[in-house]
Amino acid sequence: METVLNVLHVLSAVFLVGPMAILPMVGMRDLRSGEGAQVASLAKATFVFSLASVAALVFGFGLQGMAGIPISRPWIWISLVLYLVALAISLLVVVPTMRQAGTDAATGGGVNVRPRIAMSSGAVSVLLVVVVILMVWKP
């Protein structure tokens, strides 16, 4: 069962957490092209993948419990905090900003929010990279 949870944890990290980090970058490309409807669609997808990425957390807790690794290990709780911060930035900054950008691009007005999308999605990506490093390295 531990192997199954490990596979589910890694698959959910790759196929759910990965798009959470990558889709905003695709959205910025579409925003430069003036494709507001596509940016709005990517905002929805980013929202869905961000929420679904919680599956990686659930499988990770299951794996941690089965392996008997205490949550007091620094690499586990630091990873947990960093992931939750990345999730919060994605849901509270990236997705709303992408929605606004999609609406603004579709109507032909609004302010340039590309820097805010770039900065916040970049922060999400950096935090997720640190989580991966901690999960592999286990200092």
Side-chain angles (χ1 to χ4, degrees), residues 3-15:
T3 302
V4 171
L5 276 177
N6 197 9
V7 168
L8 290 172
H9 178 62
V10 171
L11 284 175
S12 61
V14 170
F15 291 108

Side-chain angles (χ1 to χ4, degrees), residues 3-128:
T3 302
V4 171
L5 276 177
N6 197 9
V7 168
L8 290 172
H9 178 62
V10 171
L11 284 175
S12 61
V14 170
F15 291 108
L16 299 175
V17 177
M20 176 178 115
I22 298 301
L23 289 176
M25 294 173 201
V26 175
M28 288 192 314
R29 182 198 64 205
D30 290 336
L31 190 57
R32 282 190 297 271
S33 301
E35 298 179 31
Q38 181 65 20
V39 175
S41 177
L42 287 168
K44 289 178 189 174
T46 302
F47 178 76
V48 169
F49 277 109
S50 295
L51 288 179
S53 74
V54 174
L57 178 71
V58 171
F59 293 134
F61 272 129
L63 189 60
Q64 176 250 334
M66 287 189 80
I69 301 169
I71 197 163
S72 61
R73 295 259 174 105
W75 63 272
I76 291 180
W77 61 265
I78 291 171
S79 295
L80 176 62
V81 169
L82 293 178
Y83 166 75
L84 292 174
V85 169
L87 180 64
I89 293 171
S90 184
L91 292 173
L92 300 175
V93 180
V94 175
V95 171
T97 306
M98 286 178 69
R99 285 182 182 146
Q100 175 190 353
T103 303
D104 290 350
T107 60
V111 296
N112 181 11
V113 293
R114 281 195 327 244
R116 190 177 330 151
I117 295 171
M119 181 181 65
S120 57
S121 67
V124 168
S125 295
V126 168
L127 290 170
L128 294 174

Side-chain angles (χ1 to χ4, degrees), residues 9 75-76 79-80 130-139:
H9 178 62
W75 63 272
I76 291 180
S79 295
L80 176 62
V130 173
V131 169
V132 169
I133 290 169
L134 289 171
M135 290 285 119
V136 172
W137 182 28
K138 300 176 185 176

